[in-house]
Amino acid sequence: MSNDREIEIKKEVERQFDILKRGCDEIINENEFKKKLEKSISTNTPLRVKLGIDPSGTDLHLGHAVPLRKLKQFQDLGHQVYFLIGTFTGRIGDPTGKSETRKMLSAEQVQENIKTYLEQVSLILDLDKINVVYNADWLEKLTLEDVLKLLSQFTVSQMISREDFAKRLSENKPVSLIEFMYPILQGYDSVELKADVELGATEQKFNLLRGRDLQKNAGQEQQICMIMPILEGLDGVEKMSKSLNN
C-alpha cells in the first residue's frame, strides 16, 4: 500500500471516528473501534451496526431518537445498519433498571406493538438502506441443548454482579431465572448478526458486554459497545421508557 493511500485511510478513520464518537458516554473500546474502521475503509467493507429495540409498548419515544440518530450517522457513512426488533426477547422483557420481574408478553401483544415501529423509525432512518431483523427468527429455533450451552458460558456470580439484580437481592426482592436469560439472548443476537458495533443506553452496558463474551467464545471478532446517554422521562425521575409510559 502506498504512503499516500495509508495517509488517506488514516485521515478517513479519524474523520469517521470523530463523527461517531460525538454524544457517546463511552466506547468499549476506542482502539478496537479505530482498527475496525481502518479495516472497513481499507477493504471497502461496511461495518455491521446493531441496535435492538424491544416491543414492550406501541410507541417509540424521544429516548430512542438518541441511538437512532447515531445509526443515521453510520448509515450516512456507508455502514450496514441492523435495526433489530426483539420479537422474542420482548416477550421476556428486559429487566434492566426494573425493581421487579416483568410480566411476559404474548406473541400477539408483540405483533400488535410493532405495527407502527417502522413508520416511526422512517422519520430518522432511510428504510431502504437498513436491514430490519426480528430475533424470534433465530431464538425460537434454539434447542434446549443450545440454550444450555449458552448458559454454561456464564456464572451466577457474574449475573448477580449486575447492579439492578444485586440491589433487588439485597432488598430480598425476587429475581427470576428468566431474567438471567435476557442479557445472554441479547448477546446471542450479536453472534447471529456478526455485529461489529452495538448501540445501547448506559444501563444496557452489562447486556452489550455479554455480546462481546459470546462472540469471543464463538471465535468471532468482538463487537464495539457504543454506550449512549439516557433521556429522563417526563416524571423527571425514571429513564424515558415505553413500559413506564413517561
Side-chain angles (χ1 to χ4, degrees):
M1 198 189 291
S2 72
N3 258 356
D4 286 354
R5 176 76 179 129
E6 277 181 31
I7 290 164
E8 205 179 289
I9 288 169
K10 283 200 163 31
K11 270 188 180 169
E12 182 58 15
V13 168
E14 287 306 325
R15 183 183 82 87
Q16 292 200 19
F17 180 77
D18 285 346
I19 290 168
L20 294 166
K21 77 170 182 185
R22 267 182 232 147
C24 291
D25 270 5
E26 191 181 358
I27 294 174
I28 302 169
N29 77 40
E30 293 194 359
N31 285 338
E32 279 179 38
F33 187 32
K34 284 185 177 178
K35 278 181 191 159
K36 275 189 187 277
L37 284 171
E38 190 173 337
K39 188 176 166 189
S40 160
I41 294 156
S42 58
T43 61
N44 203 21
T45 311
L47 293 177
R48 297 165 68 88
V49 187
K50 166 195 173 197
L51 170 68
I53 290 182
D54 272 345
S56 51
T58 52
D59 291 315
L60 299 180
H61 52 68
L62 273 177
H64 293 120
V66 177
L68 285 170
R69 283 168 68 92
K70 186 57 65 185
L71 271 192
K72 176 78 166 75
Q73 289 177 339
F74 275 104
Q75 195 177 58
D76 291 345
L77 291 168
H79 297 292
Q80 216 170 13
V81 164
Y82 287 82
F83 181 70
L84 182 147
I85 299 178
T87 43
F88 189 91
T89 44
R91 295 181 217 168
I92 300 173
D94 183 5
T96 306
K98 298 287 173 283
S99 56
E100 55 188 39
T101 303
R102 282 184 151 184
K103 290 180 181 67
M104 287 184 73
L105 295 178
S106 68
E108 291 72 35
Q109 283 169 304
V110 164
Q111 286 308 317
E112 194 55 40
N113 285 350
I114 68 174
K115 271 183 182 170
T116 60
Y117 270 29
L118 295 182
E119 210 177 289
Q120 295 173 62
V121 167
S122 70
L123 297 173
I124 295 177
L125 294 173
D126 180 347
L127 291 187
D128 294 333
K129 290 187 190 164
I130 66 170
N131 302 284
V132 181
V133 288
Y134 303 90
N135 64 10
D137 289 351
W138 55 83
L139 293 179
E140 276 184 346
K141 291 178 185 147
L142 292 177
T143 64
L144 181 56
E145 188 182 355
D146 295 331
V147 172
L148 293 175
K149 278 180 184 164
L150 286 175
L151 286 172
S152 72
Q153 297 175 58
F154 299 96
T155 64
V156 171
S157 60
Q158 195 176 10
M159 287 296 165
I160 60 176
S161 69
R162 210 176 107 153
E163 200 181 320
D164 41 8
F165 288 162
K167 186 172 186 289
R168 274 156 61 187
L169 288 169
S170 71
E171 293 168 356
N172 286 322
K173 286 182 179 172
V175 175
S176 151
L177 284 175
I178 202 171
E179 295 179 272
F180 284 179
M181 281 304 300
Y182 188 94
I184 298 171
L185 293 177
Q186 183 176 333
Y188 183 73
D189 289 344
S190 292
V191 173
E192 187 67 32
L193 293 176
K194 298 182 174 66
D196 288 306
V197 180
E198 182 173 12
L199 308 185
T202 44
E203 92 282 4
Q204 285 269 314
K205 184 175 173 178
F206 181 92
N207 297 4
L208 269 56
L209 289 171
R210 300 299 68 82
R212 280 175 66 87
D213 295 341
L214 286 169
Q215 284 179 313
K216 186 180 180 182
N217 296 347
Q220 290 183 13
E221 208 175 90
Q222 290 174 292
Q223 67 182 14
I224 303 304
C225 303
M226 199 168 255
I227 318 282
M228 313 298 295
I230 295 170
L231 278 195
E232 225 172 55
L234 298 173
D235 51 19
V237 180
E238 301 275 8
K239 65 162 188 161
M240 196 174 282
S241 156
K242 295 186 291 299
S243 48
L244 294 173
N245 197 26
N246 62 350

